[in-house]
Amino acid sequence: MADVEKKDTVIVGAGPGGYVAAIRASELGQKVTLIEKSDTLGGVCLNVGCVPSKALIQAGHRLEQAKDASTYGISTQAATIDFKQTQQWKQTKVVDRMTSGVKMLMKKHHVDVVNGEAVFLSDTQLRVMPTGEKQFMSTDTGQTFEFNNIIIATGSHPIEIPGFKFEGRVVDSTGGLNLPEVPKEFVVIGGGYVGTELAGAYASLGAHVTIIEGTGSILPNFEKDMVAVVLKKLKKKGVDVITNAMAKSSSQDDQGVAVTYAVDGKETTIKADYCMVTVGRRPNTDTLGLEYTKVKLDKRGLIEVDQQGRTASEHIWAVGDVVPGAALAHKAFAEGKTAAGAISGKKTANDWTSVPAVCFADPELATVGYTQAEAKDKGLKVKTSKFPFAGNARAVSLDAPDGFVRFVYTDDENQNVVGAQVVGPEASTLAGELSLIVNGGMNVEDVALTIHPHPTLNEPIQEAADIALGFPTHI
């Protein structure tokens, strides 16, 4: 076995939590080694997740606009799509560009990148084996590192359900993003964030999509009146949404796949070109050798951490999808910075209350802080105010008047904003201001007195604050 190499700060996983932690740790004077088993940096998000999915969503919007711009008095010839070229654009102009950027950032910050798969030997040592066929062929293969501190940022993987093995025409979200053609019939099992986003994208690209969801509604983490706006648009796109449905089995051949589901015990089989399963993800913690450390896992395989990301082992930290909380890239960004700061002795801490959650459906949805129900569950007495995009000149000029901005604020003299929701055009962008309002402890008067430019999609934020004060302007 090779000699043990001593390391300062080691980070396992080069996804959003890992590479951001590496940058911050380097900026704080730590000597950083980043371990990644994939050939590319950036993790699921940059390579096969949130970034390429937004590229497909954008392509779908462009195709829809090209097919029918009659609302604006514009006539066009029949628009077509070369999906191979679309996929090539997504990969080379979006994914490869962003992952190359992460690689450049590692060089800029003098981060030593090691390609391989890490397994813990103890609370202060781990073994890094090369990936591929020769991984375990010799005990002399690989490297042993002894570290002062280590951050686990190994991410998560899609859940595979019985009867739907990921092979051939049954795919996970990665396969769904890389289909060789736009399917005529596309079945999506699971109507959460990923399923709803890609269902809408492929519907825009010309597929007939069926969503099979096990609960009573798609997007169960968002409030019903927000989801209703998305359902209206999905229906307009021709998407069939089947709720309270249990996916039972699948069978496939070279031509397509048959999907059987049950509602109230009655089974139905539908045929499609492809079936994508997006029913959730599991943390990548089961092959790390954590049983040789003091690290504690919960029943879902998530690593238990404190507000700084510290585990039960004083030398081991964890961030991102492997710890409790929403599996969001921007949450992982923040946790990576926090853990790196804590290792350097900074009094950093995570505050997960007002982490914005965004779904890039059509239209987009975002929520920050508490909903009205969540606030009441916390013992807060709150009120709400809501302004519709139908009253916003910019939204109307974009032919996107559906949706609203809503504030949840305390029912007292302070009227502090404790939560906000938005469904409508550019909700993902508006979420940044809403997050600042909630995180900053602003009240509705602070927002109302903040002059917003006109005509913009930001104005409904100020309008909702005016309503809360009892002085509505454009409603």
Side-chain angles (χ1 to χ4, degrees), residues 127-148:
R127 186 81 173 155
V128 180
M129 303 298 290
T131 57
E133 296 179 357
K134 297 182 179 180
Q135 183 175 4
F136 300 109
M137 289 184 65
S138 170
T139 56
D140 294 326
T141 304
Q143 302 167 273
T144 299
F145 295 153
E146 183 175 316
F147 50 84
N148 293 328

Side-chain angles (χ1 to χ4, degrees), residues 369-389:
Y370 296 131
T371 64
Q372 183 177 18
E374 289 169 342
K376 290 181 177 179
D377 288 342
K378 294 291 183 179
L380 296 174
K381 189 177 181 182
V382 294
K383 288 184 175 181
T384 64
S385 61
K386 183 167 69 173
F387 185 85
F389 279 104

Side-chain angles (χ1 to χ4, degrees), residues 400-423:
D402 294 334
F404 56 83
V405 171
R406 175 168 53 220
F407 278 144
V408 180
Y409 58 95
T410 57
D411 184 11
D412 55 26
E413 62 179 9
N414 295 318
Q415 294 184 298
N416 291 324
V417 181
V418 296
Q421 297 83 43
V422 54
V423 53

Side-chain angles (χ1 to χ4, degrees), residues 285-301:
T285 56
D286 54 349
T287 62
L288 288 176
L290 293 175
E291 62 271 23
Y292 300 111
T293 72
K294 297 176 183 177
V295 173
K296 295 180 180 179
L297 303 177
D298 68 13
K299 61 182 179 181
R300 295 180 295 165

Side-chain angles (χ1 to χ4, degrees), residues 6-332:
K6 293 186 180 296
K7 299 290 184 179
D8 183 15
T9 299
V10 174
I11 298 170
V12 184
Y19 84 75
V20 170
I23 292 171
R24 180 56 56 89
S26 176
E27 290 172 335
L28 292 173
Q30 300 167 39
K31 188 174 181 181
V32 183
T33 300
L34 178 63
I35 302 169
E36 171 57 49
K37 67 178 181 180
S38 174
D39 292 333
T40 58
L41 306 181
V44 168
C45 181
L46 276 187
N47 288 277
V48 293
C50 43
V51 172
S53 66
K54 304 313 167 285
L56 277 190
I57 290 169
Q58 178 63 17
H61 290 333
R62 289 292 185 92
L63 181 59
E64 282 185 321
Q65 292 166 359
K67 283 183 175 179
D68 183 10
S70 58
T71 297
Y72 307 102
I74 299 172
S75 298
T76 59
Q77 295 180 344
T80 60
I81 182 171
D82 182 340
F83 197 57
K84 289 184 179 179
Q85 185 175 340
T86 303
Q87 290 285 31
Q88 183 180 24
W89 163 75
K90 170 175 71 70
Q91 185 63 42
T92 60
K93 300 298 184 180
V94 181
V95 175
D96 292 348
R97 176 177 177 175
M98 299 305 295
T99 55
S100 295
V102 174
K103 185 176 180 180
M104 178 274 293
L105 287 170
M106 294 305 100
K107 289 183 179 180
K108 174 184 176 182
H109 291 280
H110 307 290
V111 174
D112 181 21
V113 179
V114 176
N115 184 239
E117 191 153 359
V119 179
F120 282 89
L121 303 178
S122 70
D123 287 294
T124 56
Q125 287 190 346
L126 81 161
R127 186 81 173 155
V128 180
M129 303 298 290
T131 57
E133 296 179 357
K134 297 182 179 180
Q135 183 175 4
F136 300 109
M137 289 184 65
S138 170
T139 56
D140 294 326
T141 304
Q143 302 167 273
T144 299
F145 295 153
E146 183 175 316
F147 50 84
N148 293 328
N149 287 284
I150 191 167
I151 299 174
I152 301 171
T154 47
S156 60
H157 61 276
I159 294 174
E160 188 176 80
I161 59 176
F164 293 85
K165 182 177 177 59
F166 294 141
E167 62 180 7
R169 292 179 177 271
V170 177
V171 298
D172 58 11
S173 56
T174 299
L177 281 168
N178 293 287
L179 296 179
E181 68 272 337
V182 177
K184 292 181 179 179
E185 294 288 337
F186 189 41
V187 172
V188 177
I189 298 175
Y193 290 73
V194 177
T196 300
E197 287 183 359
L198 290 183
Y202 274 106
S204 297
L205 291 167
H208 175 258
V209 182
T210 301
I211 300 176
I212 298 173
E213 166 59 36
T215 68
S217 173
I218 63 169
L219 301 172
N221 292 327
F222 290 94
E223 292 181 284
K224 290 181 179 179
D225 58 349
M226 300 175 70
V227 177
V229 182
V230 175
L231 284 170
K232 176 183 175 182
K233 194 63 174 287
L234 287 174
K235 184 177 181 180
K236 186 176 180 180
K237 292 175 185 281
V239 176
D240 293 326
V241 179
I242 303 170
T243 56
N244 295 311
M246 180 65 67
K248 305 292 287 186
S249 63
S250 65
S251 61
Q252 59 179 294
D253 55 29
D254 293 339
Q255 302 301 312
V257 57
V259 176
T260 299
Y261 66 91
V263 178
D264 294 330
K266 181 181 179 181
E267 292 191 354
T268 302
T269 299
I270 55 177
K271 294 183 178 181
D273 299 295
Y274 293 93
C275 171
M276 182 179 70
V277 181
T278 57
V279 295
R281 302 180 68 86
R282 287 200 175 97
N284 294 327
T285 56
D286 54 349
T287 62
L288 288 176
L290 293 175
E291 62 271 23
Y292 300 111
T293 72
K294 297 176 183 177
V295 173
K296 295 180 180 179
L297 303 177
D298 68 13
K299 61 182 179 181
R300 295 180 295 165
L302 295 167
I303 299 173
E304 297 180 1
V305 294
D306 64 13
Q307 284 188 304
Q308 291 188 308
R310 185 187 289 103
T311 71
S313 175
E314 62 178 320
H315 300 284
I316 302 176
W317 312 70
V319 302
D321 287 9
V322 297
V323 302
L328 300 170
H330 46 278
K331 172 175 170 286

